[in-house]
Amino acid sequence: MKSLFHIANKINKMLTEYELGNLQELRKNIHSLSRVPSKYVFDQRGVKKDWGAHFGGRAELQFNIGFENNSFRYGVAFSLRPSRDHPNLNALIEKINLFNEYINEFGTEFYDLSMWHYDIERDGSRSEDFQPTIIKSEWCKTNAFIFLGEKQNRERVDFKRVCEVLDRLLPLYLHIEIASKNGNTSTPYFVFEPGCRTKLSFTKASYKKDQQIDVRL
């Protein structure tokens, strides 16, 4: 069984043939950094046992890889888990609004990919896979994880397909990071407020005379 470190190294080598291979140079220019942060998209400092994100991606739309049971996932993600260096999530919420702006206009480009999200606060419960769409406010809770991408069998990884999908997501990343850096944010789809309200989970609906069905809201 290949480790995620082995997979990340293989992806890094192959990405030198793709525009995404210049990600760290692009980040240097966008954020006016004094030097290129890393040689690689997936630096060893950003790759853990079961998941990895591009180096510097903690406060960005991150290029993300990881294992999910017998699958290997790859794509982009928002991680809404606060950390010591990034305790305030509002900057990520602004970027989620920019994600929604891009998906509204160009979402059909990702027709063959999937989205899903985790609610870490609810025992890590995972949604079903669904077609790419705008990110809804109710998904954006503290510690949530929202993903756009694809999965393969972790034992038979098609690295060419992985690189092609990741490279296709670069324009989305650039739209978000450049607009956010320049302050070109549009009217937000929502504003993040911590906490949630308890709502009904079930109700009943009538569809024939004297007949009702249970509805999961």
Side-chain angles (χ1 to χ4, degrees), residues 64-142:
N64 185 285
I65 56 176
F67 294 138
E68 296 190 13
N69 298 320
N70 294 321
S71 298
F72 169 67
R73 71 162 186 255
Y74 47 97
V76 291
F78 285 110
S79 176
L80 297 178
R81 174 173 289 180
S83 66
R84 183 178 61 184
D85 295 331
H86 303 285
N88 190 330
L89 300 178
N90 285 330
L92 278 178
I93 297 301
E94 291 177 4
K95 293 181 179 185
I96 287 174
N97 287 322
L98 289 166
F99 174 97
N100 287 346
E101 179 181 274
Y102 190 96
I103 292 298
N104 255 345
E105 188 165 357
F106 303 111
T108 54
E109 296 178 1
F110 308 128
Y111 72 94
D112 55 333
L113 305 183
S114 298
M115 285 182 68
W116 58 91
H117 58 88
Y118 288 90
D119 184 349
I120 305 301
E121 289 188 336
R122 289 190 175 184
D123 303 321
S125 61
R126 183 192 188 283
S127 73
E128 297 293 327
D129 295 3
F130 49 87
Q131 285 288 311
T133 185
I134 62 171
I135 295 172
K136 299 179 181 179
S137 59
E138 55 263 36
W139 304 345
C140 299
K141 303 174 183 178
T142 302

Side-chain angles (χ1 to χ4, degrees), residues 100-207:
N100 287 346
E101 179 181 274
Y102 190 96
I103 292 298
N104 255 345
E105 188 165 357
F106 303 111
T108 54
E109 296 178 1
F110 308 128
Y111 72 94
D112 55 333
L113 305 183
S114 298
M115 285 182 68
W116 58 91
H117 58 88
Y118 288 90
D119 184 349
I120 305 301
E121 289 188 336
R122 289 190 175 184
D123 303 321
S125 61
R126 183 192 188 283
S127 73
E128 297 293 327
D129 295 3
F130 49 87
Q131 285 288 311
T133 185
I134 62 171
I135 295 172
K136 299 179 181 179
S137 59
E138 55 263 36
W139 304 345
C140 299
K141 303 174 183 178
T142 302
N143 294 320
F145 180 80
I146 305 164
F147 190 87
L148 165 63
E150 197 171 65
K151 292 178 294 185
Q152 294 184 26
N153 186 308
R154 63 187 290 179
E155 299 301 323
R156 298 189 299 274
V157 178
D158 180 346
F159 287 97
K160 185 174 184 294
R161 173 65 181 177
V162 172
C163 292
E164 288 173 349
V165 169
L166 292 175
D167 196 60
R168 281 171 54 197
L169 292 164
L170 180 59
L172 170 61
Y173 168 87
L174 292 175
H175 169 79
I176 292 170
E177 295 305 319
I178 292 173
S180 176
K181 181 66 176 179
N182 294 337
N184 297 333
T185 54
S186 59
T187 301
Y189 287 78
F190 59 86
V191 177
F192 178 71
E193 294 181 1
C196 64
R197 295 171 302 189
T198 301
K199 299 179 181 179
L200 290 175
S201 297
F202 294 89
T203 188
K204 292 183 178 293
S206 299
Y207 72 104

